[in-house]
Structures are given as structure tokens and as C-alpha cells.
Amino acid sequence: MDPQLAAPGLPPADARDPRADPHSPGSEERPGLVLLVDDEPLMLRALRRILQADGHRLALAEDAAFAEATLLDPDLEVVLLDLVMRGVSGLELLDRIKRDRPDVEVVVMTGHASVESAVGCMRRGAFDYLAKPFEDAHRVRTTVRKALERHRLVKRNRELEQALRGRGAAPELVGASPRMRALARTIQSLRHNESHVLIQGESGTGKELVARAIHASSARASGPFVPVDCGALPETIIESELFGHERGAFTGAIGASPGLFRMADRGTLFLDEIGEIPGSVQAKLLRALQHKEVRPVGASAPVPVDLRIISATHRDLSAMVEARQFRTDLFYRLNVVRIEIPPLRERREDVPLLVHHFLAKHGNTSVQIEGIDDDALELLVMHDWPGNVRELENVMESALALARGPRLRASDLPLARRRASGAAARVPLEVPLSLEAYEWCALARALEEASGDAAQAARRLGIGRSTFYRKLSKHGLRSAD
């Protein structure tokens, strides 16, 4: 028997009223694709006579083998399934359908009606239960209609949740270059994947933005996204920050702390600059990933955690592994899926898109900005952007703060006011009235006077090295080391 046998006299699926939008009011009353599975041909014909009055597309199958094609049809909404059949039992097929197509509603049928079998089927995911023979055809039609309503309600709810999640949580990746389109496809392909991800890219390329996009499009989107800058954590407290600690575990531990791993439970933990993790903590991090549990400092027993790790670095972890600065086993545990983010200088065609994106994002100044002059845009496109997208955003924000006309001009850009020798770490001749700009200048000048030595530059500014690195990352600057 043809598993796609439709009821006689019914129009094909593509001949239905094109105005019948599944999301429009009253769409729950639309006919649907219903699969009937029963090893009794007379029962199949009886069901077809009952249900064809409602205009459903009907597929008839005498066993699981004939049902295969329809079970793969994305339009399938409801299955009427006989529990007692030759070969594969109805319960086995019910379990398979709810495993492979959880969105499909299943109504089970049997001539051996009992409360126990009804409860058992419901626990396995069945929508409803019909006893044979069918004394009330109206009940059969009503049950199928309610199953269709349930299927469409759940589907619509999931679509709305996904749309809201996409608008509210997923960050926007701006770029139309081939490498950015490939990056977007990779993120899309990870929607249903729980593998750990390693993101490689220079400072300022948007590694955290990509990590947030992966999280927002994953099944863990409703859980927390917990970012941590490993390079900013002092080595003395990094273990307790990651894994937590008990009260009194060490001097100053007045109260207990859950740690970042437990804070990210059922969500995503983003370990930025993973290459800065000291060797003493790498082994404990590996154990946490292998056993899905952490042992807080001072605790006597481990605590289970359920999370996904997305790590990122601007360093070459492969070279660090060869130099024995990073554990080989931890590297392979983190590097399940690898994503390379191209520097901005290698995708210059994206600069105009980013410029207009930042114009819209930061264009809330007292002067209404309508656009940017061609020569100013050319200057931005031709710049090498050692600080990548973060540096471009900083430049645009500074230019908007100084702009006097309706369009940004080349003279409004800090790039046009830098020294002719103008390396990216040089201080601009004119500094806008902005604390952010003055901080950038102080960092750049300290680096310049210290010949790129981070420790010496931090001492000149009177701040700790961890704080100095964090501020460098914030402003898209880099030290020589």
C-alpha cells in the first residue's frame, strides 16, 4: 500500500487556499496532514471515511515500513496509531515518533482498552487515546482537530520564543564579506550542537560578540551567559573565582562563593583569553570539563555542573602547546569546534557597513548626523585597524562627539589628526572632551614611553598589570609582550 495514499476527491496540498496562513486567526481549523497506521485495511478505510469530511490530507499505512516516508514529511502534524500490530508494536513506534519528531501529536488506538494502557501511552507522550471500534465518529474527528490545535499552538509558541530570543538576546554580527558570511553559517550550524568552542582572533575582533551569538542561538539561550577575562584574574584567586570556595577556606574568605562555573550552570561560560590560565589551574579546569563537576576551594565533595564552554584567545594555543605552556589534553578538550575571526584589515569591504552601524548606534549627539563624506569613508577603509572593530567604534564615537555639521568629514576623524608617522599606539594631537579618550591617550603614551613594556607602563600609570591589560583590551591597544 502506498503510504502517501490521499483520500479520494481531496485537492493536493498546494491547491489549498493560499490565504490560509497557519498563523492567522482561525488557522487551528485548517485541515492538516494526518498519518493513519493500522494493520487492518478495513479500519484504515473506515478512518478515511470519517476524517475526509474535514478535508485533511490523509496518508494510510498498514505497518511501520509503509509509514516511513510520511514520518519524514515536515508537514506531518498528527498520527493515529494502532497499538497492536504485526511486526513493530505500536508502543515501539510511539516511542520512535516522540524521539525523532517530538512536535508530532500521536493519538493511539486499540481494541483492548484499559486504564493502564491509556496511562502508559500518555506517559510516553501520546496526545489522546481512542478505543476501537469507533462508536462515535464525532469523537474521532474532534480528537484529531484538538491534536492539530495542540501541534500548531506549540509550534507557534516556539517560533515566537525563538523570534523574541533573536531580537532580544542575539547580538548583531555586522559584515557581508565572504569570511563573515562563513562565520554566520558556522554559528547557525551550532544551534543544536553542545560541543565546546574555541574562538581565535586578534584583540578587538569581537570574540565575545561571537560567543554571545553562539549562546543566543543555542538550546542554552534561556540559561545564563557568564563571561570572564582570564587575563584580568590574579593567579592567587583564579581557582576560587572559577570553582568557588567555602567559608573560611582561606584568609579573607568570610562567606562562601559559588564560583563562575556554578553561576553558568545550564548556560554558557565564556573564558576569554584562555591562554592566560596558569598551569596550576589548567589541570583542574580539564578535570571539571571531563567529569562535569567542580570542587570548590575548601569543599570536601565535588559539585555537578551542566554548562558549555566557549573559550577565546588572541594567542596561538598550538604554539603554546608545543612550547609546553599549555596542556595538550586541555587544548583538545577546548578545541572541539574552532572559529577563526578575521581581523578588520582582511575584510575591508565590511568597514562601510560597520561605519553606518556605529553611526546609528552612537549618533545621539546634539548635532544630527545624516551621513559621512566619501573622503572620510575612504580614510576609514584604508586604515589598517590594529585594534580592529573595537578601535573603529572608538574612532566613530570620538568623531561623532566632535562633529559640527550634518555629515562626518575627514577632519572630524581622530585618524586625520594623528602624527604623520602615526602608529596606532601614538597619542592624537587633539583630544576630545571625553574621559574614555583621555584614558586611551594615557595608556598609549605610557606604552610609547615604556617601549611597549606592559609592566613598566603599568608602573608609570600607578595601576596593577591585570588592570592595565584589561584597559588595553577595552581600548583595542596592545603591548609589545
Side-chain angles (χ1 to χ4, degrees), residues 173-175 177-191 210 213-214 217 339:
L173 298 179
V174 180
S177 61
R179 295 184 69 176
M180 287 302 291
R181 290 200 300 269
L183 175 60
R185 288 194 298 270
T186 300
I187 293 173
Q188 183 75 2
S189 68
L190 291 172
R191 285 182 305 160
V210 171
I214 294 171
S217 62
I339 292 178

Side-chain angles (χ1 to χ4, degrees), residues 41-235:
L42 290 176
M43 184 56 65
L44 287 176
R45 287 196 287 270
L47 284 169
R48 183 172 64 183
R49 282 195 301 270
I50 292 172
L51 295 174
Q52 68 183 8
D54 290 328
H56 301 302
R57 285 195 297 147
L58 302 175
L60 282 57
E62 293 183 356
D63 56 30
F66 282 119
E68 287 290 339
T70 308
L71 288 174
L72 297 175
D73 192 324
D75 292 333
L76 179 63
E77 296 178 287
V78 176
V79 176
L80 265 66
L81 174 63
D82 186 25
L83 283 182
V84 182
M85 297 187 297
R86 296 181 298 273
V88 178
S89 74
L91 283 177
E92 291 177 11
L93 190 54
L94 169 62
D95 290 340
R96 178 184 159 192
I97 293 172
K98 297 312 292 183
R99 182 190 69 235
D100 298 340
R101 295 289 304 273
D103 58 312
V104 173
E105 299 295 344
V106 180
V107 178
V108 294
M109 311 176 292
T110 183
H112 308 277
S114 67
V115 175
E116 291 80 6
S117 61
V119 172
C121 291
M122 296 298 185
R123 286 176 176 170
R124 290 171 182 256
F127 172 75
D128 207 344
Y129 185 88
L130 292 173
K132 297 192 298 185
F134 307 124
E135 298 179 355
D136 185 358
H138 178 71
R139 168 162 164 69
V140 177
R141 295 171 62 188
T142 301
T143 300
V144 171
R145 281 200 296 266
K146 288 182 177 179
L148 283 168
E149 290 175 9
R150 163 76 177 172
H151 169 85
R152 290 164 185 171
L153 177 63
V154 171
K155 181 180 180 181
R156 180 59 174 157
N157 187 46
R158 288 175 179 170
E159 289 174 350
L160 289 172
E161 286 180 351
Q162 186 174 3
L164 288 172
R165 184 188 304 156
R167 287 197 296 266
E172 183 179 3
L173 298 179
V174 180
S177 61
R179 295 184 69 176
M180 287 302 291
R181 290 200 300 269
L183 175 60
R185 288 194 298 270
T186 300
I187 293 173
Q188 183 75 2
S189 68
L190 291 172
R191 285 182 305 160
H192 306 297
N193 189 298
E194 289 284 293
S195 300
H196 299 317
V197 179
L198 175 62
I199 302 174
Q200 185 84 34
E202 296 180 5
S203 295
T205 50
K207 295 187 288 293
E208 182 172 340
L209 196 71
V210 171
R212 288 184 181 275
I214 294 171
H215 170 77
S217 62
S218 73
R220 296 181 177 271
S222 59
F225 177 88
V226 180
V228 53
D229 184 353
C230 299
L233 292 176
E235 186 172 348

